[in-house]
Amino acid sequence: MTKKVVSVQDISCYGQCSQTVALPVLSVLGVETVILPSAVLSTHTTSFEGYTVHDLTEEMPKIVAHWKKENITFDAIYTGYISDVRQFDCILDLRSQLNPGGMVIVDPAIADHGELYPALSDDIVEGMRRLVSVADVIIPNITEAALLTNTEYKPDFTQNEIEGILHKLAALGPHYSVITGVSYESGKLGAVCLDKESGEITNYFSDYVNKICYGTGDIFSSVVVGRMVNGSSVYDALKTASEFVTSCIRATIGDDEHHYGVHFESVLHELLK
């Protein structure tokens, strides 16, 4: 039976990220995807200026209430960019009412390169800790992992430091804690995961492609969600996600005008393998 996931994150109308990548990626992976938008933005906030933001905090509980009336349930909740701290109450309500026994996967999309995303306030970090505490899987980048664990950010962490942060993340509650954008050696970039129950740390690194691209974190998380909801191990999910993101970046090399995302559409077929 087809799995059903509700994706809770923003809609950036222009710019390949959040819902506009989650929907096609999860669909190709055979997952029925329902959206609960946290906000509507004219563009994403990392590659544009003067963007518009329409917060949907007031609408989200109404949508969830309607789903309750229709007896709709989900196999998993997948969260990304949350625009207002009040939205965490709605997500936790969604989990308790419409996701009984299901999976919760959190991409705490709040920061990068040592700073919170524009338009987010500092209290978003504490709200994200509340959500992380009930998650099965969390997928922060290094900046987000540092914020969640009150670790001072720096551009380069050693392997021992990364593993220490992983244990701090696990103490917040999730079964699997994944940190993306990790590099232990020149020319390699990937993700590191701690299984809280077994204590096992799993790494998956692929060849580093020297091009800065936006939206790749959302693509990575969406692949992990699709694979794990369909029964994949966390290692296989990380492997597929890492290799697919690398393909997306390579497909974008040479197109200097495409500064706001990656040409993921041209390589979506790789996920069918």
Side-chain angles (χ1 to χ4, degrees):
M1 182 179 296
T2 301
K3 300 294 186 179
K4 188 183 299 179
V5 169
V6 56
S7 172
V8 188
Q9 50 190 312
D10 71 289
I11 299 172
S12 288
C13 298
Y14 189 84
Q16 296 163 304
C17 66
S18 57
Q19 301 285 24
T20 60
V21 299
L23 276 165
V25 167
L26 287 167
S27 296
V28 167
L29 289 169
V31 177
E32 180 181 346
T33 309
V34 177
I35 67 169
L36 180 58
S38 59
V40 178
L41 291 79
S42 55
T43 66
H44 60 69
T45 63
T46 50
S47 186
F48 299 92
E49 297 180 355
Y51 47 82
T52 65
V53 181
H54 180 67
D55 179 77
L56 293 174
T57 301
E58 301 299 328
E59 294 301 316
M60 291 172 66
K62 300 175 188 177
I63 295 169
V64 173
H66 184 209
W67 289 345
K68 288 180 185 177
K69 288 179 63 176
E70 297 294 332
N71 296 314
I72 295 170
T73 59
F74 302 100
D75 297 291
I77 297 172
Y78 163 35
T79 71
Y81 181 90
I82 305 302
S83 63
D84 189 293
V85 70
R86 294 172 294 169
Q87 295 177 1
F88 293 109
D89 288 332
C90 181
I91 297 169
L92 292 171
D93 181 53
L94 175 68
R95 171 183 174 266
S96 64
Q97 299 296 324
L98 304 178
N99 180 233
M103 188 179 295
V104 178
I105 303 176
V106 175
D107 175 0
I110 56 175
D112 205 357
H113 304 297
E115 297 181 350
L116 281 175
Y117 289 137
L120 292 181
S121 58
D122 291 338
D123 59 358
I124 204 76
V125 178
E126 187 55 43
M128 191 60 72
R129 290 193 188 107
R130 289 177 59 205
L131 186 56
V132 163
S133 72
V134 302
D136 297 284
V137 186
I138 61 169
I139 317 173
N141 60 34
I142 294 176
T143 298
E144 292 154 352
L147 283 169
L148 289 169
T149 59
N150 287 314
T151 302
E152 184 177 356
Y153 172 80
K154 59 182 183 179
D156 297 303
F157 286 98
T158 66
Q159 180 172 347
N160 284 339
E161 289 171 331
I162 289 291
E163 292 181 359
I165 294 172
L166 281 171
H167 284 285
K168 290 180 182 178
L169 288 171
L172 295 175
H175 185 159
Y176 295 109
S177 299
V178 177
I179 302 178
T180 63
V182 175
S183 178
Y184 292 154
E185 61 177 298
S186 177
K188 295 289 183 180
L189 187 71
V192 182
C193 174
L194 170 64
D195 181 335
K196 181 179 181 179
E197 185 174 325
S198 70
E200 181 182 5
I201 293 178
T202 303
N203 307 325
Y204 187 82
F205 297 100
S206 56
D207 292 335
Y208 173 67
V209 182
N210 188 21
K211 181 175 175 61
I212 296 175
C213 295
Y214 297 104
T216 51
D218 296 337
I219 292 172
F220 184 97
S221 295
S222 297
V223 174
V224 171
V225 171
R227 292 281 277 136
M228 292 195 72
V229 167
N230 280 323
S232 168
S233 69
V234 66
Y235 177 80
D236 286 342
L238 296 182
K239 180 177 185 294
T240 303
S242 296
E243 292 178 351
F244 182 67
V245 166
T246 299
S247 292
C248 292
I249 296 172
R250 285 179 173 152
T252 315
I253 291 175
D255 187 352
D256 294 334
E257 294 183 1
H258 201 86
H259 61 88
Y260 51 86
V262 290
H263 289 305
F264 73 94
E265 298 91 346
S266 65
V267 292
L268 267 177
H269 64 276
E270 293 184 9
L271 293 176
L272 295 173
K273 301 176 184 178

